[in-house]
Amino acid sequence: MELMVLLNALVTRLLFVLHSLIGVWRVTAVKKEPKYWLLALLNLLLCLETGLTLKFKQGRGYKWFSPAIFLYLICTVPSLWLLEIHHGTQYCGNEPGAVQVNISNQDFNQSRDRSHGSEGTDHHIIQTAKVFVNQLSTICETVWTLALHQTFLLLLVVGRWLLPIGVEITRDQLSQLLLMFVGTAADILEFASETLDIEDVRKNYALINAILAVWTWSMLQFPLDLAVQHIGCKPTASTRRIPSLLLCRYSAELWNIGVSLFIQDGPFFIVRSILMGHFRIFNQMLVFFTAKNILVVTLQLYRLAVITLDFRATILQKSRKGEVGCCPCEPYEASAHATADRDTEMKEFVAFPPKEESQALSED
């Protein structure tokens, strides 16, 4: 097992566990009930996955799916649910950050003065850490919840980057996937923060649960790598049907369209439409992002129509040539075989000239 592969696998999962524990700590501090520390037991699943991955996969990832990302979602999403439901019970000033910084600097200076001289440097570090933890506890709940949302999405992207990739995915595919995840994370963060910050939404408990359910549903796309990997196709009897041929040729594109329509932009559009149509909630940003979702859904449907027409044209072209039984999903491989056959025929022609030509040469 390579040292860097082992290091990346362990460090990434350690970051996941630490962030999950911070979320559990915030829930316990807000609810003021120690029983919520039981949520930390979910991290045992991530520890078990780490051991199995190191043993059977030598630390590398799996094809099409990342169990570490999925278990990180399981460990962190419940804490964010509880924080959002308990949202807004603490008062936040207009400039909480500036107030906290001033208080922290004053306490750090007092701690340094008390520890200077007899106690030594070690005592000073301990006192500074205690003051820092106390100041973190005084930050209002809304700031903590938003920070956990932001770091959660950032860790999903950075963690997917740091996790060792499997043999089935290339670096080029991974870079495409990470770029897609950055845009996806920004849209998901905007959806959660923009809808849950509406005052009328905060007064409706059922509406909060519905928005969080859609938010959780949209997060399920992060463990999957189908957006950059083609399933592939073999010209067998099972792949001669039209839907199977279409899927094997455009698997990555169809997955992107499906994610947008059924996991992200489609559900986001439905939620925002309900807010405006049924609950009569209107603001400038809500209208803008609703229009943006409509545009994305329309473009994805247009893309699906283009793919279908292109595939239909390919099928008709091959049927005219008598190649109905061939699989059109790997045209490059077929053309490569045809080129190889032509090269073989040319070599045989050069090595063994026709009989008429050989007899003319012998008569001369």
Side-chain angles (χ1 to χ4, degrees):
M1 185 186 305
E2 298 179 3
L3 179 60
M4 287 302 300
V5 172
L6 176 62
L7 185 63
N8 288 337
L10 293 178
V11 169
T12 305
R13 289 169 173 83
L14 179 61
L15 291 175
F16 291 165
V17 171
L18 290 178
H19 186 267
S20 176
L21 292 178
I22 292 175
V24 175
W25 167 63
R26 285 309 306 161
V27 173
T28 306
V30 168
K31 295 287 188 178
K32 295 181 174 57
E33 295 183 15
K35 66 179 182 180
Y36 286 100
W37 278 111
L38 294 176
L39 291 172
L41 296 177
L42 293 173
N43 290 282
L44 295 177
L45 297 174
L46 191 57
C47 296
L48 178 62
E49 183 273 337
T50 303
L52 294 176
T53 302
L54 294 178
K55 181 178 180 180
F56 296 104
K57 297 288 290 185
Q58 288 75 44
R60 297 194 175 275
Y62 296 82
K63 185 177 182 180
W64 299 337
F65 183 74
S66 176
I69 298 292
F70 179 72
L71 293 177
Y72 177 47
L73 294 178
I74 293 178
C75 296
T76 310
V77 167
S79 299
L80 292 177
W81 265 72
L82 293 173
L83 290 174
E84 288 292 353
I85 293 175
H86 196 76
H87 187 275
T89 58
Q90 296 182 10
Y91 174 76
C92 293
N94 293 329
E95 295 179 354
V99 175
Q100 296 299 331
V101 170
N102 292 334
I103 295 176
S104 298
N105 290 335
Q106 181 181 0
D107 291 340
F108 287 160
N109 293 331
Q110 292 177 358
S111 175
R112 182 182 59 187
D113 294 337
R114 288 196 300 265
S115 62
H116 182 70
S118 59
E119 298 295 335
T121 306
D122 295 337
H123 182 71
H124 165 62
I125 295 176
I126 296 175
Q127 290 295 329
T128 302
K130 290 181 179 179
V131 172
F132 181 72
V133 172
N134 291 332
Q135 291 306 313
L136 288 179
S137 301
T138 59
I139 298 177
C140 66
E141 180 186 342
T142 56
V143 176
W144 263 112
T145 304
L146 180 59
L148 286 174
H149 269 287
Q150 294 170 342
T151 52
F152 178 44
L153 291 169
L154 288 176
L155 267 180
L156 284 173
V157 179
V158 175
R160 190 62 188 88
W161 190 6
L162 294 178
L163 283 174
I165 61 177
V167 296
E168 296 87 1
I169 184 172
T170 63
R171 291 291 179 183
D172 178 65
Q173 292 174 336
L174 178 62
S175 63
Q176 297 178 29
L177 186 67
L178 294 174
L179 289 173
M180 294 174 55
F181 280 175
V182 170
T184 300
D187 288 341
I188 293 175
L189 178 62
E190 175 277 324
F191 169 77
S193 60
E194 179 258 333
T195 54
L196 292 175
D197 284 346
I198 300 175
E199 184 178 357
D200 293 335
V201 173
R202 284 293 174 188
K203 297 177 182 178
N204 193 325
Y205 184 78
L207 195 55
I208 292 176
N209 287 331
I211 292 174
L212 289 176
V214 173
W215 170 77
T216 304
W217 171 249
S218 66
M219 300 296 293
L220 296 178
Q221 58 185 298
F222 285 98
L224 299 173
D225 300 338
L226 292 174
V228 294
Q229 298 189 56
H230 289 278
I231 296 178
C233 172
K234 294 181 180 180
T236 59
S238 61
T239 59
R240 290 177 183 177
R241 293 178 297 177
I242 297 301
S244 300
L245 295 178
L246 180 63
L247 178 62
C248 74
R249 181 173 185 179
Y250 296 103
S251 58
E253 290 84 354
L254 292 176
W255 171 251
N256 286 326
I257 295 173
V259 166
S260 179
L261 295 179
F262 301 107
I263 298 182
Q264 187 169 330
D265 290 285
F268 290 179
F269 167 69
I270 294 174
V271 171
R272 288 171 172 139
S273 299
I274 293 175
L275 291 178
M276 293 190 299
H278 185 268
F279 294 95
R280 302 298 178 183
I281 299 174
F282 294 94
N283 59 56
Q284 184 177 3
M285 297 304 295
L286 185 61
V287 174
F288 170 77
F289 284 109
T290 303
K292 177 248 184 186
N293 292 141
I294 295 175
L295 181 61
V296 172
V297 170
T298 304
L299 291 176
Q300 292 291 1
L301 292 175
Y302 174 72
R303 174 62 180 165
L304 180 61
V306 170
I307 289 176
T308 305
L309 292 176
D310 178 72
F311 180 77
R312 180 174 178 273
T314 303
I315 292 294
L316 292 177
Q317 182 181 4
K318 287 185 175 293
S319 63
R320 294 192 187 99
K321 296 180 179 180
E323 301 176 0
V324 181
C326 297
C327 178
C329 53
E330 294 184 359
Y332 298 105
E333 183 178 355
S335 62
H337 286 305
T339 304
D341 293 339
R342 287 195 300 269
D343 292 342
T344 304
E345 293 176 358
M346 183 62 68
K347 291 179 180 178
E348 292 177 354
F349 179 81
V350 174
F352 302 99
K355 294 182 178 180
E356 297 178 357
E357 183 179 354
S358 60
Q359 291 176 359
L361 292 176
S362 61
E363 293 177 358
D364 293 340

